[in-house]
Amino acid sequence: MKKLLLTTAAFALAGSMTLAQDVVRMGTEGAYPPYNFINDAGDVDGFERELGDELCLRAGLTCEWVTNDWDSIIPNLVSGNYDTIIAGMSITDERDEVIDFTQDYYPPTASAYVALSDGVDVTGGVIAAQTSTIQAGHVVDTGASLLEFPTPEETIAAVRAGEADAVLADRDYLAPIVEASGGELVFVGDPVPLGGGVGMGIRESDTALKDAMDAAITSMKEDGTLNELLIKWFGEDTQTY
């Protein structure tokens, strides 16, 4: 791979570092709105697309977007299919043993259960969750029966079809689905705090890229633009910095 030429702005953010790429490939799932999704034009869209483009601009990087299924998103980062994961991924100790993370760009946020009625036993029933998520791990820890699916849409479909008693996922993902259901779906119980915020996953060897992205995230926190994006995509009630 070729050495990346950084702009003056990038040097202001990242000092005298150099990166090993001339193009940084941003890996995302494209199936987790409003974090990331594929729009009608077939392009990656959502909060993380807008955030990622701004981070690349501030870091002086040329970035392109790549989609990958969630269940293989970490292995394919490690194997070099792309250079970052920006896909609503919560920072956890288990994941941090395999890859590095930038600082969080979305504050720690609650997960929630959703079902067809609020009387569901979420610790003794069948709970749907997306494969390889912190929610799936939490379901196992509670003693409930875990029913895993590759995509978040399938977890919702399982509840509607009666295959699962409830789904556990990020509350921010579930909220617009519950609202649009017209009362068919309801939140069950209290929010469940999980994870250490959402960050960008980067290979452990790519320290210069991590430093560049960290500096760009810091600059967005400091000038308020990250908060503006959070409110734009998640509403006035979302947590901000």
Side-chain angles (χ1 to χ4, degrees):
M1 297 182 121
K2 299 178 183 177
K3 179 179 176 181
L4 177 69
L5 299 178
L6 298 178
T7 65
T8 302
F11 277 112
L13 284 172
S16 59
M17 67 172 192
T18 57
L19 300 179
Q21 301 102 315
D22 55 355
V23 174
V24 174
R25 296 160 299 171
M26 307 282 275
T28 194
E29 184 185 14
Y32 204 60
Y35 290 89
N36 58 82
F37 57 92
I38 303 301
N39 62 25
D40 292 341
D43 299 322
V44 174
D45 205 339
F47 164 66
E48 286 169 319
R49 174 60 193 265
E50 193 167 355
L51 170 66
D53 285 346
E54 179 64 20
L55 292 176
C56 290
L57 178 64
R58 291 182 184 227
L61 303 175
T62 300
C63 293
E64 61 183 31
W65 289 84
V66 179
T67 56
N68 193 94
D69 291 342
W70 176 262
D71 58 359
S72 61
I73 202 165
I74 289 180
N76 284 340
L77 170 70
V78 174
S79 65
N81 289 15
Y82 33 83
D83 305 302
T84 75
I85 295 172
I86 179 166
M89 180 171 284
S90 295
I91 301 168
T92 67
D93 292 339
E94 182 181 10
R95 289 168 178 160
D96 201 33
E97 292 177 359
V98 181
I99 60 175
D100 270 345
F101 283 97
T102 63
Q103 63 179 291
D104 59 285
Y105 57 76
Y106 192 108
T109 186
S111 297
Y113 291 97
V114 161
L116 295 177
S117 69
D118 59 9
V120 169
D121 179 6
V122 296
T123 61
V126 177
I127 308 301
Q130 189 176 10
T131 304
S132 301
T133 59
I134 57 174
Q135 289 84 10
H138 181 75
V139 171
V140 173
D141 291 341
T142 66
S145 298
L146 172 65
L147 187 58
E148 291 185 283
F149 293 92
T151 68
E153 291 91 346
E154 289 171 288
T155 65
I156 304 295
V159 172
R160 285 181 159 139
E163 299 174 36
D165 297 309
V167 56
L168 180 64
D170 288 327
R171 196 181 192 286
D172 291 322
Y173 169 72
L174 293 171
I177 296 173
V178 170
E179 183 177 358
S181 75
E184 176 195 14
L185 298 170
V186 295
F187 285 108
V188 178
D190 296 325
V192 182
L194 296 174
V198 173
M200 184 184 295
I202 296 175
R203 283 184 294 273
E204 292 183 335
S205 59
D206 288 343
T207 55
L209 178 58
K210 178 179 180 293
D211 290 345
M213 291 301 186
D214 266 330
I217 293 169
T218 295
S219 73
M220 291 187 68
K221 287 179 177 178
E222 289 176 345
D223 67 15
T225 53
L226 182 50
N227 284 344
E228 291 174 5
L229 286 183
L230 288 168
I231 292 169
K232 172 183 175 179
W233 286 99
F234 298 97
E236 293 287 343
D237 294 332
T238 194
Q239 296 184 66
T240 56
Y241 294 96

